[in-house]
Amino acid sequence: MTFHLTSTAFESGGDIPREFTCDGPDSSPSLIWNDPPPGTETLALIVDDPDAPSGTWVHWVLYNLPAIARGLSEGVAKDRQLPDGARQGRNDFGELGYNGPCPPRGAPHRYFFKLYALDCKVTLKAGASKGELERAMKRHVLAKAELVGRFQH
């Protein structure tokens, strides 16, 4: 079976509701996924916007989610480390955890929620960047699931 990522907040390719953006409370949407492939030790999540005027803008970096996890509830705390041991990285707003869509007025932007099944635990401390996580994941990705949402002011 294919590794698959969904949300109860929006359909793939659909609009991200305002409560998950800077126009609202800016809380993270709930995410749900199915069983990762055998051999998965941890999961990592990167959320970014490739349509940002300055280049791809990172909204969330999260890693070392336990392989037994099957989702994230709405409104994940912006803590360095979550109760399950997952660590949060720094986004392009300069903060830990999730900061949602906040594009300039104009055309809609696409937001890619990318979940990776990894065959290892990432040795990065909390606060790592997307680039640091991508380098740490190199040659350790067993599967990738993706969910895309859209938003415009």
Side-chain angles (χ1 to χ4, degrees):
M1 183 166 188
T2 306
F3 194 35
H4 193 68
L5 176 64
T6 62
S7 177
T8 58
F10 62 95
E11 298 280 326
S12 186
D15 292 334
I16 297 173
R18 293 203 183 283
E19 64 251 37
F20 307 110
T21 74
C22 68
D23 285 352
D26 206 16
S27 60
S28 61
S30 65
L31 297 172
I32 303 161
W33 53 87
N34 62 337
D35 291 346
T40 299
E41 190 171 328
T42 64
L43 302 162
L45 177 72
I46 295 173
V47 179
D48 57 23
D49 167 12
D51 303 320
S54 60
T56 300
W57 189 266
V58 180
H59 289 266
W60 201 2
V61 177
L62 180 65
Y63 43 96
N64 288 342
L65 278 160
I68 60 168
R70 293 297 175 267
L72 290 166
S73 59
E74 183 178 314
V76 171
K78 295 178 182 259
D79 297 333
R80 296 178 67 75
Q81 187 162 310
L82 302 180
D84 63 7
R87 294 179 178 165
Q88 299 203 76
R90 194 159 302 283
N91 61 40
D92 282 345
F93 294 95
E95 297 182 20
L96 287 175
Y98 176 86
N99 282 97
C102 198
R105 298 215 177 274
H109 285 216
R110 297 166 298 152
Y111 297 86
F112 288 79
F113 291 72
K114 296 172 281 193
L115 183 68
Y116 300 89
L118 306 177
D119 67 1
C120 68
K121 187 171 184 178
V122 176
T123 58
L124 298 170
K125 293 180 179 174
S129 69
K130 172 188 168 183
E132 290 170 323
L133 176 58
E134 287 176 334
R135 284 188 292 281
M137 293 188 320
K138 199 171 188 130
R139 295 183 300 278
H140 295 286
V141 176
L142 300 173
K144 176 183 171 187
E146 191 171 89
L147 172 68
V148 180
R150 297 164 35 97
F151 183 75
Q152 75 183 102
H153 286 285

